[in-house]
């Protein structure tokens, strides 16, 4: 169930009064309906308020659909420089307690964030880099992956509009350009893992179906980060937009027993979620990060 949300639009360069808009069903539509050049939005959920200070927080961020808008191809996304600057400042002011948690490999995350080199979990936690640069990797039977990749490639080659992404320890089939083939892609993935269920699982996402190692998810990656410096002892906040991020939100609810010092999940965009907070789109994430960076205390 969506949480009741209040949008507050403020015009700092005018004398117009603040105008509240109550929105309980579609925050993204409400946010865009303001359509004003000076709009800044804050979203207040009924149980939790989106943090307005980075002090004491450990920040975890998904990449696609959260930091960057989704694109027709994974290699066509763009991270604006001001967002990179916000991440740099927030990482510095939290002593490094900021990590990317993505389905992409760490090498791809580094490419888009360069010159930043932040803690990161890639491939849904199959690889994880700590603040000190140590990388832990989970491996699988690459021969099994090769068999599935070969079969998937043949299917993609015969089906216009599909795109196969090789993730090394798994594969992803994108159907954004051919949504009419969504069911066929899902059936293919289920068929491919059928004899390999003990080692692999199917992970649906936004216009994509992935085959990935069983037992790995963003929630376990976040929990591992929270056991080490500089994340330990801080309150975790995780922003994500897709089905894969729900495991991360669930992990946050388990931190500290879900009490006042438990983690806070922030769903980006529309759709059902177990996260208590919501931002309407990627642009709102950028504004929120900029606000946090602007008011962040210096790290001690």
């Amino acid at each position: 169930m969506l949480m009741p949300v209040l949008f507050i639009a403020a015009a700092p360069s005018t004398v117009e009064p603040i105008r509240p808009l109550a929105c309980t069903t579609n925050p993204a539509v409400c946010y865009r309906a303001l359509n004003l050049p000076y709009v800044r939005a804050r979203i207040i959920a009924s149980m939790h308020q989106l943090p307005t200070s980075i002090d004491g927080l450990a920040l975890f961020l998904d990449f696609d659909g959260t930091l960057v808008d989704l694109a027709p191809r994974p290699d066509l996304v763009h991270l604006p420089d001001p967002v990179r600057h916000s991440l740099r400042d927030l990482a510095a002011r939290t002593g490094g307690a900021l990590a990317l948690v993505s389905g992409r490999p760490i090498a791809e995350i580094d490419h888009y964030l360069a010159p930043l080199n932040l803690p990161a979990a890639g491939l849904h936690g199959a690889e994880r880099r700590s603040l000190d640069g140590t990388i832990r990797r989970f491996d699988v039977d690459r021969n099994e992956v090769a068999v599935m990749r070969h079969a998937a490639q043949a299917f993609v080659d015969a089906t216009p509009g599909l795109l196969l992404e090789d993730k090394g320890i798994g594969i992803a089939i994108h159907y954004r350009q051919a949504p009419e083939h969504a069911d066929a892609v899902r059936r293919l993935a289920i068929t491919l893992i059928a004899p390999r269920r003990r080692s692999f699982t199917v992970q649906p996402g936004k216009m994509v179906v992935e085959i990935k190692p069983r037992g790995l998810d963003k929630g376990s990656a976040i929990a591992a980060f929270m056991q080490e410096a500089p994340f330990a002892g801080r309150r975790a906040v995780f922003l994500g937009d897709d089905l894969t991020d729900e495991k991360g939100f669930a992990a946050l609810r388990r931190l500290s027993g879900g009490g006042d010092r438990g983690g806070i999940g922030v769903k980006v965009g529309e759709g059902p979620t177990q996260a208590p907070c919501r931002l309407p789109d990627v642009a709102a994430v950028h504004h929120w990060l900029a606000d946090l960076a602007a008011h962040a205390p210096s790290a001690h």
Side-chain angles (χ1 to χ4, degrees):
M1 184 176 67
L2 295 181
M3 312 298 285
V5 176
L6 177 67
F7 288 81
I8 302 177
S13 60
T14 73
V15 293
E16 291 185 23
I18 292 176
R19 293 171 289 170
L21 293 175
C23 229
T24 59
T25 57
N26 195 331
V29 171
C30 186
Y31 179 82
R32 289 193 291 268
L34 294 171
N35 195 28
L36 299 170
Y38 53 77
V39 165
R40 299 177 67 199
R42 272 189 174 172
I43 297 178
I44 303 174
S46 59
M47 293 179 65
H48 293 280
Q49 181 172 330
L50 208 61
T52 57
S53 170
I54 195 67
D55 189 34
L57 299 184
L59 190 58
F60 299 95
L61 303 167
D62 172 44
F63 188 69
D64 294 276
T66 299
L67 282 182
V68 297
D69 286 305
L70 298 175
R73 295 175 56 96
D75 58 336
L76 296 179
V77 299
H78 170 68
L79 183 71
D81 283 339
V83 181
R84 191 176 288 104
H85 299 159
S86 294
L87 296 177
R88 176 199 62 199
D89 293 345
L90 289 170
R93 293 169 184 172
T94 58
L98 185 154
L100 277 291
V101 183
S102 174
R104 291 180 182 258
I106 290 177
E108 288 187 16
I109 298 171
D110 288 347
H111 169 73
Y112 289 105
L113 266 65
L116 299 181
N117 193 254
L118 302 172
L123 301 172
H124 305 287
E127 52 183 22
R128 191 174 66 85
R129 181 175 64 208
S130 300
L131 180 63
D132 63 6
T134 301
I135 298 180
R136 300 165 180 84
R137 287 189 170 92
F138 178 90
D139 208 355
V140 296
D141 187 333
R142 299 297 179 116
N143 291 328
E144 294 284 6
V145 176
V147 170
M148 292 189 287
R149 182 172 60 247
H150 179 77
Q153 187 66 66
F155 180 81
V156 167
D157 290 343
T159 313
L162 300 184
L163 173 67
L164 178 65
E165 183 182 2
D166 183 358
K167 295 196 170 187
I169 61 170
I171 60 174
I173 305 175
H174 299 264
Y175 55 88
R176 185 170 300 278
Q177 303 303 305
E180 67 274 17
H181 296 305
D183 288 341
V185 170
R186 295 188 191 101
R187 287 195 298 270
L188 172 66
I190 291 171
T191 299
L192 289 177
I193 72 157
R196 308 171 178 89
R197 288 185 181 278
R198 290 187 177 183
S199 302
F200 296 91
T201 187
V202 173
Q203 175 63 64
K206 288 184 177 178
M207 299 293 181
V208 64
V209 174
E210 293 191 48
I211 294 177
K212 67 184 186 69
R214 181 173 294 278
L216 298 176
D217 59 58
K218 294 184 179 182
S220 59
I222 291 173
F225 275 122
M226 291 300 294
Q227 295 299 310
E228 62 187 38
F231 302 92
R234 290 174 171 265
R235 189 178 192 187
V237 178
F238 175 47
L239 277 68
D241 73 301
D242 208 345
L243 291 174
T244 61
D245 301 310
E246 292 299 319
K247 295 278 189 173
F249 299 147
L252 296 192
R253 295 180 66 178
R254 294 191 294 268
L255 293 175
S256 301
D260 290 341
R261 293 295 296 174
I264 302 174
V266 182
K267 166 79 170 178
V268 179
E270 303 175 34
T273 184
Q274 55 188 305
C277 292
R278 186 183 295 264
L279 283 168
D281 50 31
V282 171
V285 173
H286 294 173
H287 286 302
W288 181 68
L289 291 173
D291 280 346
L292 280 184
H295 299 95
S298 298
H300 297 293

